[in-house]
Coordinates of all heavy atoms in Angstrom, one line a residue:
M1 N 0.8 -1.1 0.0 CA 0.1 0.0 0.0 C 0.9 1.2 0.0 O 1.8 1.4 0.8 CB -0.9 0.0 1.2 CG -1.9 1.1 1.3 SD -2.9 0.9 2.9 CE -4.1 2.2 2.6
K2 N 0.6 2.2 -1.0 CA 1.5 3.4 -1.0 C 0.8 4.5 -0.2 O -0.5 4.6 -0.1 CB 1.5 3.8 -2.4 CG 2.3 5.0 -2.7 CD 2.4 5.2 -4.2 CE 3.1 6.6 -4.4 NZ 2.9 7.2 -5.8
W3 N 1.6 5.3 0.5 CA 1.1 6.4 1.3 C 0.4 7.3 0.3 O 0.9 7.8 -0.7 CB 2.2 7.2 2.0 CG 1.7 8.1 3.0 CD1 1.7 9.5 2.8 CD2 1.1 7.9 4.3 NE1 1.2 10.1 3.9 CE2 0.8 9.1 4.9 CE3 0.9 6.6 4.9 CZ2 0.3 9.2 6.2 CZ3 0.3 6.8 6.2 CH2 0.0 8.1 6.8
P4 N -1.0 7.7 0.6 CA -1.8 8.3 -0.4 C -1.5 9.8 -0.5 O -2.2 10.5 -1.4 CB -3.2 8.1 0.0 CG -3.1 7.9 1.5 CD -1.7 7.3 1.8
C5 N -0.6 10.5 0.2 CA -0.5 11.8 0.2 C 0.9 12.3 0.5 O 1.6 11.4 1.2 CB -1.5 12.6 1.0 SG -1.4 12.2 2.7
D6 N 1.4 13.4 0.1 CA 2.7 13.8 0.4 C 2.7 14.6 1.9 O 3.7 14.8 2.4 CB 3.4 14.9 -0.6 CG 3.5 14.2 -1.8 OD1 3.9 13.1 -1.9 OD2 3.4 14.9 -2.9
G7 N 1.6 14.9 2.3 CA 1.3 15.6 3.6 C -0.1 15.4 4.0 O -0.8 14.4 3.5
P8 N -0.7 16.1 4.9 CA -2.0 16.0 5.3 C -3.0 16.1 4.1 O -2.8 17.0 3.3 CB -2.3 17.0 6.3 CG -0.9 17.5 6.8 CD 0.0 17.1 5.7
S9 N -3.8 15.1 3.9 CA -4.7 15.1 2.6 C -5.9 15.9 3.0 O -6.4 16.0 4.1 CB -5.2 13.7 2.5 OG -6.1 13.6 1.5
R10 N -6.4 16.7 1.9 CA -7.6 17.5 2.1 C -8.8 16.6 2.2 O -9.7 16.9 2.6 CB -7.6 18.4 1.0 CG -6.6 19.4 1.0 CD -6.9 20.5 -0.1 NE -5.7 21.3 -0.2 CZ -5.1 21.8 -1.3 NH1 -5.6 21.3 -2.4 NH2 -4.0 22.6 -1.2
N11 N -8.6 15.3 1.6 CA -9.7 14.4 1.5 C -9.9 13.3 2.7 O -10.6 12.4 2.6 CB -9.8 13.8 0.2 CG -10.0 14.7 -0.9 OD1 -10.7 15.7 -0.7 ND2 -9.2 14.6 -2.0
A12 N -8.9 13.4 3.5 CA -8.7 12.3 4.6 C -8.7 13.2 6.0 O -8.3 14.3 6.1 CB -7.5 11.5 4.4
S13 N -9.3 12.4 6.9 CA -9.3 13.1 8.3 C -8.6 12.2 9.3 O -8.9 11.0 9.2 CB -10.7 13.5 8.6 OG -11.4 12.4 8.9
S14 N -8.0 12.7 10.2 CA -7.5 12.0 11.2 C -7.9 12.5 12.7 O -8.4 13.7 12.7 CB -5.9 11.9 11.3 OG -5.5 13.2 11.3
A15 N -8.0 11.6 13.6 CA -8.5 12.0 14.9 C -7.7 11.3 15.9 O -7.3 10.1 15.7 CB -10.0 11.6 15.1
S16 N -7.5 12.0 16.9 CA -6.7 11.5 18.1 C -7.6 11.5 19.2 O -8.2 12.6 19.5 CB -5.4 12.3 18.4 OG -4.8 11.9 19.6
S17 N -7.8 10.6 20.0 CA -8.6 10.6 21.2 C -7.8 10.1 22.4 O -6.8 9.2 22.1 CB -9.9 9.8 21.0 OG -9.5 8.4 20.8
T18 N -8.0 10.7 23.6 CA -7.3 10.3 24.7 C -8.3 9.7 25.7 O -9.3 10.3 26.1 CB -6.6 11.6 25.3 OG1 -5.9 12.2 24.3 CG2 -5.7 11.1 26.4
Q19 N -8.0 8.5 26.2 CA -8.7 7.8 27.2 C -8.0 7.9 28.5 O -6.8 7.5 28.6 CB -9.0 6.3 26.8 CG -9.6 6.1 25.5 CD -9.8 4.7 25.1 OE1 -10.5 4.3 24.3 NE2 -9.1 3.8 25.6
P20 N -8.8 8.1 29.5 CA -8.2 8.0 30.9 C -8.0 6.6 31.4 O -8.7 5.7 31.0 CB -9.2 8.7 31.8 CG -10.5 8.6 31.1 CD -10.2 8.5 29.7
I21 N -6.9 6.3 32.1 CA -6.7 5.1 32.7 C -7.0 5.3 34.1 O -6.3 6.2 34.9 CB -5.3 4.6 32.6 CG1 -5.0 4.4 31.1 CG2 -5.0 3.3 33.3 CD1 -3.6 4.0 30.8
M22 N -8.1 4.6 34.8 CA -8.5 4.9 36.1 C -8.0 3.7 37.2 O -7.9 2.6 36.9 CB -10.0 4.9 36.1 CG -10.7 5.8 35.1 SD -10.5 7.6 35.4 CE -11.5 7.8 37.0
A23 N -7.8 4.3 38.4 CA -7.5 3.4 39.4 C -8.9 2.8 39.9 O -9.7 3.8 40.5 CB -6.6 4.0 40.5
L24 N -9.3 1.7 40.0 CA -10.6 1.3 40.4 C -10.8 1.5 41.9 O -11.9 1.7 42.3 CB -10.7 -0.1 40.0 CG -10.8 -0.5 38.5 CD1 -11.0 -2.0 38.3 CD2 -11.8 0.3 37.8
N25 N -9.7 1.4 42.7 CA -9.8 1.6 44.1 C -10.0 3.0 44.6 O -10.6 3.3 45.6 CB -8.7 0.9 44.9 CG -7.4 1.5 44.5 OD1 -7.1 2.0 43.5 ND2 -6.4 1.3 45.5
T26 N -9.6 3.9 43.7 CA -9.6 5.3 44.2 C -10.5 6.2 43.2 O -10.9 7.3 43.5 CB -8.3 5.9 44.2 OG1 -7.7 6.0 43.0 CG2 -7.4 5.3 45.2
N27 N -10.9 5.6 42.1 CA -11.6 6.2 41.0 C -10.9 7.5 40.4 O -11.5 8.4 40.0 CB -13.0 6.6 41.4 CG -13.9 6.7 40.3 OD1 -13.8 6.1 39.2 ND2 -15.0 7.6 40.4
K28 N -9.6 7.5 40.5 CA -8.8 8.7 40.1 C -8.1 8.3 38.8 O -7.8 7.1 38.5 CB -7.7 9.0 41.1 CG -8.2 9.7 42.3 CD -7.2 10.2 43.3 CE -7.6 11.0 44.4 NZ -6.5 11.5 45.2
I29 N -7.8 9.3 37.9 CA -7.0 9.1 36.7 C -5.5 9.0 37.1 O -5.0 9.7 37.9 CB -7.2 10.2 35.7 CG1 -8.7 10.5 35.5 CG2 -6.3 10.2 34.5 CD1 -8.9 11.8 34.6
V30 N -5.1 7.8 36.7 CA -3.6 7.5 37.0 C -2.7 7.5 35.7 O -1.6 7.4 35.7 CB -3.4 6.2 37.6 CG1 -4.1 6.2 39.0 CG2 -4.0 5.1 36.9
G31 N -3.3 7.7 34.6 CA -2.6 7.7 33.3 C -3.6 7.9 32.2 O -4.7 8.2 32.4
A32 N -3.0 7.8 31.0 CA -3.9 8.0 29.8 C -3.3 7.2 28.6 O -2.2 6.9 28.7 CB -3.9 9.5 29.4
E33 N -4.2 6.9 27.7 CA -3.8 6.3 26.4 C -4.3 7.1 25.3 O -5.5 7.6 25.3 CB -4.6 4.8 26.4 CG -4.3 4.1 25.1 CD -5.0 2.8 25.1 OE1 -6.1 2.7 25.6 OE2 -4.5 1.8 24.6
A34 N -3.4 7.4 24.4 CA -3.8 8.2 23.3 C -3.9 7.3 22.1 O -3.1 6.4 21.8 CB -2.5 9.1 22.9
L35 N -5.0 7.5 21.3 CA -5.3 6.6 20.2 C -5.4 7.5 18.9 O -5.8 8.7 18.9 CB -6.7 5.9 20.4 CG -6.8 5.1 21.6 CD1 -8.3 4.7 21.8 CD2 -6.0 3.9 21.5
M36 N -4.9 6.9 17.8 CA -4.9 7.6 16.5 C -5.8 6.9 15.5 O -5.7 5.6 15.4 CB -3.5 7.7 16.0 CG -3.4 8.3 14.6 SD -3.5 10.1 14.7 CE -3.5 10.5 13.0
R37 N -6.7 7.6 14.9 CA -7.5 7.0 13.8 C -7.3 7.8 12.6 O -7.2 9.0 12.6 CB -9.0 7.0 14.2 CG -9.3 6.4 15.5 CD -9.1 4.8 15.2 NE -9.4 4.0 16.3 CZ -8.5 3.4 17.1 NH1 -7.2 3.5 16.8 NH2 -9.0 2.7 18.2
W38 N -7.3 7.2 11.3 CA -7.2 7.9 10.1 C -8.4 7.4 9.3 O -8.5 6.2 9.1 CB -5.9 7.6 9.4 CG -5.8 8.2 8.1 CD1 -6.1 9.6 7.7 CD2 -5.1 7.7 6.9 NE1 -5.7 9.8 6.5 CE2 -5.2 8.7 6.0 CE3 -4.6 6.5 6.7 CZ2 -4.7 8.5 4.7 CZ3 -4.1 6.1 5.3 CH2 -4.1 7.2 4.4
E39 N -9.2 8.3 8.8 CA -10.3 8.0 8.0 C -10.1 8.6 6.6 O -10.0 9.7 6.4 CB -11.7 8.5 8.6 CG -12.9 8.0 7.8 CD -14.2 8.2 8.5 OE1 -14.1 8.4 9.7 OE2 -15.2 8.1 7.9
H40 N -10.0 7.6 5.6 CA -9.8 8.0 4.2 C -11.2 8.0 3.5 O -12.0 7.1 3.9 CB -8.9 7.0 3.6 CG -8.5 7.3 2.2 ND1 -9.2 7.2 1.2 CD2 -7.3 8.0 1.8 CE1 -8.6 7.6 0.1 NE2 -7.5 8.1 0.5
P41 N -11.5 9.0 2.7 CA -12.8 9.1 2.2 C -13.2 7.9 1.2 O -14.3 7.6 1.0 CB -12.7 10.4 1.3 CG -11.3 10.6 1.0 CD -10.6 10.0 2.3
E42 N -12.2 7.2 0.6 CA -12.5 6.0 -0.3 C -12.2 4.7 0.4 O -13.0 3.8 0.2 CB -11.7 6.1 -1.6 CG -12.0 7.4 -2.4 CD -11.0 7.6 -3.4 OE1 -10.1 6.8 -3.6 OE2 -11.2 8.6 -4.2
R43 N -11.2 4.6 1.3 CA -10.9 3.4 1.9 C -11.6 3.2 3.3 O -11.5 2.1 3.9 CB -9.4 3.3 2.2 CG -8.6 3.3 0.8 CD -7.2 3.2 1.2 NE -6.5 3.1 0.0 CZ -5.4 3.8 -0.4 NH1 -4.8 4.6 0.6 NH2 -4.7 3.7 -1.5
G44 N -12.2 4.2 3.8 CA -12.8 4.2 5.2 C -11.7 4.3 6.2 O -10.6 4.8 6.0
V45 N -11.9 3.7 7.4 CA -10.9 3.8 8.5 C -9.8 2.9 8.2 O -10.0 1.8 8.0 CB -11.6 3.4 9.8 CG1 -10.6 3.4 10.9 CG2 -12.8 4.3 10.2
V46 N -8.6 3.5 8.2 CA -7.4 2.7 7.8 C -6.7 2.4 9.2 O -6.5 3.1 10.1 CB -6.3 3.5 7.0 CG1 -5.1 2.8 6.9 CG2 -7.0 4.1 5.8
A47 N -6.6 1.2 9.4 CA -6.0 0.5 10.6 C -4.6 1.0 11.0 O -3.8 1.3 10.1 CB -6.1 -1.0 10.6
P48 N -4.3 1.4 12.3 CA -3.0 1.7 12.6 C -1.9 0.8 12.2 O -0.8 1.3 11.8 CB -3.0 1.9 14.1 CG -4.4 2.0 14.5 CD -5.2 1.4 13.5
L49 N -2.3 -0.4 12.1 CA -1.3 -1.5 11.6 C -0.9 -1.0 10.2 O 0.3 -1.5 9.8 CB -2.0 -2.8 11.7 CG -1.0 -4.1 11.2 CD1 0.2 -4.2 12.2 CD2 -2.0 -5.4 11.3
D50 N -1.8 -0.5 9.3 CA -1.4 -0.2 8.0 C -0.8 1.3 7.9 O 0.2 1.4 7.2 CB -2.7 -0.2 7.1 CG -3.2 -1.5 7.0 OD1 -2.4 -2.6 7.0 OD2 -4.5 -1.7 6.9
F51 N -1.3 2.2 8.6 CA -0.8 3.5 8.4 C 0.5 3.9 9.2 O 1.2 4.8 8.8 CB -1.9 4.7 8.5 CG -2.3 5.0 9.9 CD1 -1.5 5.9 10.7 CD2 -3.5 4.5 10.4 CE1 -1.9 6.2 12.0 CE2 -3.9 4.9 11.6 CZ -3.2 5.7 12.4
I52 N 0.7 3.3 10.3 CA 1.9 3.5 11.0 C 3.2 3.2 10.3 O 4.1 4.1 10.3 CB 1.8 2.9 12.5 CG1 0.6 3.6 13.3 CG2 3.2 3.1 13.2 CD1 0.8 5.0 13.7
P53 N 3.3 2.0 9.8 CA 4.5 1.8 9.1 C 4.7 2.7 8.0 O 5.9 3.1 7.6 CB 4.3 0.4 8.5 CG 3.3 -0.2 9.5 CD 2.4 0.8 9.9
L54 N 3.6 3.2 7.3 CA 3.7 4.0 6.0 C 4.2 5.3 6.6 O 5.0 6.1 5.9 CB 2.4 4.2 5.3 CG 2.0 2.8 4.6 CD1 0.5 2.9 4.1 CD2 2.8 2.7 3.4
A55 N 3.7 5.9 7.8 CA 4.0 7.1 8.3 C 5.6 7.1 8.6 O 6.2 8.1 8.5 CB 3.2 7.4 9.5
E56 N 6.0 6.0 9.2 CA 7.4 5.8 9.5 C 8.3 5.9 8.2 O 9.2 6.6 8.2 CB 7.6 4.5 10.3 CG 7.0 4.5 11.6 CD 7.1 3.1 12.3 OE1 7.3 2.0 11.6 OE2 7.1 3.1 13.5
E57 N 7.8 5.2 7.1 CA 8.5 5.2 6.0 C 8.7 6.6 5.2 O 9.7 6.9 4.7 CB 8.0 4.2 4.9 CG 8.1 2.7 5.3 CD 7.4 1.9 4.2 OE1 7.1 2.3 3.1 OE2 7.1 0.6 4.7
T58 N 7.7 7.3 5.4 CA 7.6 8.6 4.8 C 8.2 9.8 5.6 O 8.2 10.9 5.1 CB 6.2 8.9 4.3 OG1 5.3 9.0 5.5 CG2 5.6 8.0 3.3
G59 N 8.5 9.5 6.9 CA 8.9 10.5 7.8 C 7.8 11.3 8.4 O 8.0 12.3 9.1
L60 N 6.6 11.0 8.2 CA 5.5 11.7 8.7 C 5.2 11.3 10.2 O 4.3 11.9 10.9 CB 4.2 11.5 7.9 CG 4.2 12.1 6.6 CD1 3.0 11.8 5.8 CD2 4.2 13.6 6.7
I61 N 5.8 10.1 10.7 CA 5.6 9.7 12.1 C 5.9 10.7 13.1 O 5.2 10.8 14.1 CB 6.2 8.3 12.3 CG1 5.7 7.5 13.5 CG2 7.7 8.5 12.4 CD1 4.3 7.2 13.3
V62 N 6.9 11.5 12.8 CA 7.4 12.6 13.9 C 6.3 13.6 14.1 O 5.7 13.9 15.1 CB 8.7 13.0 13.4 CG1 9.0 14.3 14.4 CG2 9.8 11.9 13.6
P63 N 5.8 14.3 12.9 CA 4.8 15.3 13.1 C 3.5 14.7 13.6 O 2.8 15.3 14.4 CB 4.6 15.9 11.7 CG 5.4 15.0 10.7 CD 6.3 14.4 11.5
I64 N 3.1 13.4 13.1 CA 1.9 12.8 13.7 C 2.1 12.6 15.1 O 1.1 12.9 15.9 CB 1.7 11.4 12.9 CG1 1.2 11.7 11.6 CG2 0.6 10.7 13.7 CD1 1.1 10.5 10.6
G65 N 3.2 12.0 15.6 CA 3.4 11.9 17.1 C 3.4 13.1 17.8 O 2.8 13.2 19.0
A66 N 3.9 14.2 17.3 CA 3.9 15.4 18.0 C 2.5 16.1 18.1 O 2.1 16.5 19.2 CB 4.7 16.5 17.2
W67 N 1.6 15.8 17.1 CA 0.2 16.3 17.2 C -0.5 15.4 18.2 O -1.3 16.0 19.0 CB -0.3 16.1 15.7 CG -1.8 16.5 15.7 CD1 -2.4 17.6 15.9 CD2 -2.8 15.5 15.6 NE1 -3.8 17.6 15.8 CE2 -4.0 16.2 15.7 CE3 -2.9 14.1 15.4 CZ2 -5.3 15.6 15.4 CZ3 -4.2 13.6 15.3 CH2 -5.3 14.2 15.2
V68 N -0.2 14.1 18.1 CA -1.1 13.2 19.1 C -0.7 13.6 20.5 O -1.4 13.7 21.5 CB -0.8 11.8 18.8 CG1 -1.4 10.8 19.9 CG2 -1.4 11.3 17.5
L69 N 0.7 13.8 20.8 CA 1.1 14.3 22.1 C 0.5 15.6 22.6 O 0.2 15.8 23.7 CB 2.7 14.3 22.2 CG 3.3 13.0 22.3 CD1 4.9 13.1 22.2 CD2 3.0 12.2 23.5
E70 N 0.4 16.5 21.6 CA -0.3 17.8 21.9 C -1.7 17.7 22.3 O -2.2 18.3 23.3 CB -0.1 18.8 20.7 CG -0.8 20.0 21.1 CD -0.5 21.0 19.7 OE1 0.4 20.7 18.9 OE2 -1.3 21.9 19.7
V71 N -2.5 16.8 21.6 CA -3.9 16.6 21.9 C -3.9 15.9 23.3 O -4.8 16.4 24.0 CB -4.5 15.7 20.8 CG1 -5.8 15.3 21.2 CG2 -4.6 16.6 19.4
A72 N -3.1 14.9 23.6 CA -3.2 14.3 24.9 C -2.8 15.2 26.1 O -3.5 15.2 27.1 CB -2.2 13.0 24.9
A73 N -1.8 16.0 25.8 CA -1.4 17.0 26.8 C -2.6 18.0 27.2 O -2.9 18.2 28.3 CB -0.1 17.8 26.4
R74 N -3.3 18.4 26.1 CA -4.3 19.4 26.3 C -5.5 18.6 27.0 O -6.1 19.2 27.9 CB -4.8 19.9 25.0 CG -4.2 21.1 24.5 CD -5.1 21.7 23.4 NE -5.3 20.8 22.3 CZ -4.7 20.9 21.0 NH1 -4.0 22.0 20.7 NH2 -5.0 20.1 20.1
Q75 N -5.7 17.4 26.6 CA -6.9 16.7 27.4 C -6.5 16.4 28.9 O -7.3 16.5 29.8 CB -7.1 15.2 26.8 CG -8.2 14.5 27.4 CD -9.5 15.2 27.4 OE1 -10.1 15.5 26.4 NE2 -10.0 15.5 28.5
A76 N -5.2 16.1 29.2 CA -4.7 15.9 30.5 C -4.9 17.1 31.3 O -5.3 17.2 32.5 CB -3.3 15.4 30.5
A77 N -4.6 18.3 30.8 CA -4.8 19.6 31.4 C -6.2 19.9 31.7 O -6.6 20.4 32.8 CB -4.2 20.7 30.5
T78 N -7.1 19.6 30.8 CA -8.5 19.7 31.0 C -9.1 18.8 32.1 O -9.7 19.3 33.0 CB -9.3 19.2 29.8 OG1 -8.9 20.2 28.6 CG2 -10.8 19.5 29.8
W79 N -8.5 17.6 32.2 CA -8.9 16.7 33.2 C -8.5 17.2 34.6 O -9.1 17.2 35.7 CB -8.3 15.3 33.1 CG -9.0 14.5 32.0 CD1 -10.3 14.7 31.5 CD2 -8.3 13.5 31.3 NE1 -10.4 13.7 30.6 CE2 -9.2 13.1 30.4 CE3 -7.1 12.9 31.3 CZ2 -8.9 11.9 29.5 CZ3 -6.8 11.9 30.4 CH2 -7.8 11.3 29.4
A80 N -7.2 17.8 34.7 CA -6.6 18.4 35.8 C -7.5 19.6 36.3 O -7.6 19.8 37.5 CB -5.2 18.9 35.5
R81 N -7.9 20.4 35.5 CA -8.6 21.7 35.8 C -10.0 21.1 36.3 O -10.6 21.8 37.2 CB -8.9 22.6 34.6 CG -7.7 23.4 34.2 CD -8.1 24.5 33.2 NE -8.7 24.0 32.0 CZ -8.1 23.5 31.0 NH1 -6.8 23.5 31.0 NH2 -8.7 23.1 29.9
R82 N -10.6 20.1 35.8 CA -12.1 19.7 36.2 C -12.0 18.8 37.4 O -13.0 18.6 38.1 CB -12.6 19.0 35.1 CG -12.9 19.8 33.9 CD -13.6 19.1 32.8 NE -13.9 20.1 31.7 CZ -14.5 19.5 30.4 NH1 -14.5 18.3 30.4 NH2 -14.5 20.4 29.5
S83 N -10.9 18.3 37.8 CA -10.8 17.3 38.9 C -10.7 18.2 40.3 O -9.7 19.0 40.5 CB -9.6 16.4 38.8 OG -9.5 15.6 40.0
P84 N -11.5 17.7 41.2 CA -11.5 18.4 42.5 C -10.2 18.0 43.4 O -9.9 18.7 44.2 CB -12.8 18.0 43.3 CG -13.1 16.7 42.6 CD -12.7 16.8 41.1
H85 N -9.5 16.9 42.9 CA -8.5 16.3 43.8 C -7.3 16.6 43.0 O -6.1 16.0 43.5 CB -8.7 14.9 44.2 CG -10.1 14.7 44.9 ND1 -10.3 15.2 46.1 CD2 -11.1 14.1 44.5 CE1 -11.5 14.8 46.6 NE2 -12.1 14.1 45.5
G86 N -7.2 17.2 41.8 CA -6.0 17.3 41.0 C -5.9 16.1 40.1 O -6.6 15.1 40.3
Y87 N -4.8 16.2 39.3 CA -4.6 15.1 38.4 C -3.1 14.7 38.7 O -2.2 15.6 38.7 CB -4.6 15.6 37.0 CG -4.3 14.5 35.9 CD1 -5.1 13.5 35.6 CD2 -3.1 14.6 35.2 CE1 -4.7 12.4 34.7 CE2 -2.7 13.7 34.4 CZ -3.6 12.7 34.1 OH -3.2 11.7 33.1
P88 N -2.8 13.5 38.8 CA -3.6 12.3 38.8 C -4.5 12.2 40.0 O -4.3 12.1 41.2 CB -2.6 11.1 38.5 CG -1.3 11.6 38.9 CD -1.3 13.1 38.8

């Protein structure tokens, strides 16, 4: 499979979501998991197993990783502001 674009595609969208990891005994957030999804308009959702190696080969893995980390850090800051006991 060939990487379908030289940079971010106007016809594809990607999404990063951050899920909290909770301690069941305290109900506090103790960590987070960042997930990346890529939705191509013709192929549908492209599995990370397919797009991560391509991103590595094309050098796009670094900017993708930076973007995912930025999204995760913003989400962690939001959780910290909303938590009455602080984060974690």
Side-chain angles (χ1 to χ4, degrees):
M1 182 178 192
K2 184 179 173 190
W3 192 253
C5 59
D6 293 329
S9 172
R10 292 184 189 137
N11 297 322
S13 65
S14 55
S16 177
S17 62
T18 308
Q19 302 179 156
I21 299 172
M22 307 291 291
L24 296 178
N25 60 338
T26 63
N27 203 31
K28 288 187 177 182
I29 299 171
V30 295
E33 176 182 36
L35 305 170
M36 175 77 185
R37 300 288 180 254
W38 180 40
E39 188 165 342
H40 189 276
E42 296 168 6
R43 297 184 180 133
V45 177
V46 180
L49 184 62
D50 294 327
F51 76 79
I52 295 295
L54 292 170
E56 290 172 337
E57 288 175 21
T58 60
L60 290 173
I61 196 67
V62 173
I64 289 170
W67 175 71
V68 170
L69 285 172
E70 181 182 337
V71 170
R74 272 195 305 246
Q75 181 61 61
T78 298
W79 289 332
R81 282 191 308 273
R82 293 181 180 173
S83 175
H85 305 295
Y87 176 75

